[in-house]
Amino acid sequence: MDLQEFLNANPVDNLTEEVVVSPRFKDEKGNPLKFTIKAMTEEEFEDIRKKSTQLRKKQVDFDNRKFNLNVAINNTVYPDFKNAESIKKLGVTTPEEYVQKVLLAGELATLVQKISELSGFDVEMSELVEEAKN
């Protein structure tokens, strides 16, 4: 299979993975509960980046907190952070408030890191060189 055939057979629009985010999430038998995440497309990444960036007095202000929340909300398939019933049940009004209510800061950071890795970010150049050699 050449590169073109590989790309045609492996589109990125539905790339998902189950990941463990924290040892806190366990079922009644002690097994880890996994999140299902999906990779960001370039278009989705740019949309979230733009929504998290403001121009103030000729200065670019990037809101990292807003960026991370939106990455988690828009790229977590399960659990569904946009679930209206869950949002209402916890007494909050937005998916952003819901995420902050159910995840610790480090758990959110881990979730965003795993989504970023699945999306092709944080891949070490040395790893790419080794893969290219093989």
Side-chain angles (χ1 to χ4, degrees):
M1 175 184 293
D2 71 4
L3 180 57
Q4 192 70 50
E5 290 171 355
F6 176 85
L7 293 173
N8 292 344
N10 296 283
V12 297
D13 56 349
N14 286 314
L15 186 59
T16 62
E17 184 176 308
E18 287 188 341
V19 297
V20 174
V21 172
S22 170
R24 184 169 73 95
F25 305 118
K26 294 181 181 178
D27 67 14
E28 59 280 348
K29 295 180 182 177
N31 299 314
L33 295 171
K34 295 181 179 182
F35 286 61
T36 303
I37 59 173
K38 69 175 186 148
M40 281 185 287
T41 64
E42 193 276 333
E43 183 179 333
E44 291 167 329
F45 173 78
E46 281 301 312
D47 184 52
I48 292 171
R49 187 187 62 78
K50 285 178 184 177
K51 289 178 180 177
S52 303
T53 305
Q54 292 183 354
L55 185 61
R56 294 183 185 177
K57 297 180 182 180
K58 299 181 183 180
Q59 182 178 344
V60 176
D61 184 24
F62 182 75
D63 188 340
N64 195 53
R65 180 176 161 271
K66 185 175 185 177
F67 180 83
N68 286 341
L69 284 169
N70 279 295
V71 166
I73 291 164
N74 292 309
N75 294 284
T76 301
V77 177
Y78 182 80
D80 181 3
F81 294 131
K82 297 177 186 176
N83 181 283
E85 187 176 312
S86 294
I87 291 169
K88 184 178 178 182
K89 186 174 187 175
L90 287 186
V92 294
T93 57
T94 66
E96 292 82 5
E97 291 173 332
Y98 180 75
V99 169
Q100 292 172 316
K101 189 97 169 171
V102 298
L103 296 180
L104 297 169
E107 293 166 345
L108 175 60
T110 299
L111 179 59
V112 170
Q113 177 187 359
K114 292 190 181 284
I115 292 167
S116 296
E117 289 170 1
L118 183 61
S119 301
F121 295 101
D122 294 331
V123 176
E124 294 291 328
M125 184 55 82
S126 59
E127 290 177 34
L128 293 175
V129 170
E130 284 302 313
E131 283 184 32
K133 287 180 182 177
N134 298 328

